[in-house]
Amino acid sequence: MTEKTAAFDVADYLDSEEMIQEYFRQVAADGDSSEIIEALGEIARARGMMKLAEETGLSRESLYRTLRPGSKPRFDTIFRISKALGLPMFAS
């Protein structure tokens, strides 16, 4: 008998501000730039890409391209996204 499993999607578990903040804090502390970009994408999907597009002035398509694995976005774009998401870029 074959068991069916669902693919793991971290965005499904980012259901509170505390969870989002802690997830990003951990990734920022332990990860590299590609992991931080991926985490921002997961958080953006959890909160709603359309809402983020409105807050940043970027199109949804541009956000998906910017936050996809392997992308090399400009720092000012990542800073703008993190600010709109209410996430600290630098630990204090």
Side-chain angles (χ1 to χ4, degrees), residues 12-75:
D12 293 337
Y13 298 91
L14 300 175
D15 55 2
S16 71
E17 261 322 291
E18 295 79 23
M19 185 69 79
I20 289 170
Q21 294 290 331
E22 182 59 22
Y23 173 65
F24 189 71
R25 189 185 71 72
Q26 289 292 323
V27 171
D30 300 336
D32 60 18
S33 61
S34 63
E35 290 171 335
I36 291 170
I37 292 166
E38 183 177 345
L40 288 172
E42 292 162 345
I43 293 166
R45 285 188 305 106
R47 289 207 180 147
M49 203 61 87
M50 183 59 94
K51 181 180 176 190
L52 181 60
E54 291 170 0
E55 291 175 359
T56 61
L58 300 169
S59 70
R60 276 183 342 117
E61 295 79 15
S62 178
L63 287 170
Y64 280 113
R65 273 193 309 273
T66 298
L67 299 172
R68 73 175 176 229
S71 68
K72 301 287 185 201
R74 294 171 37 138
F75 178 78

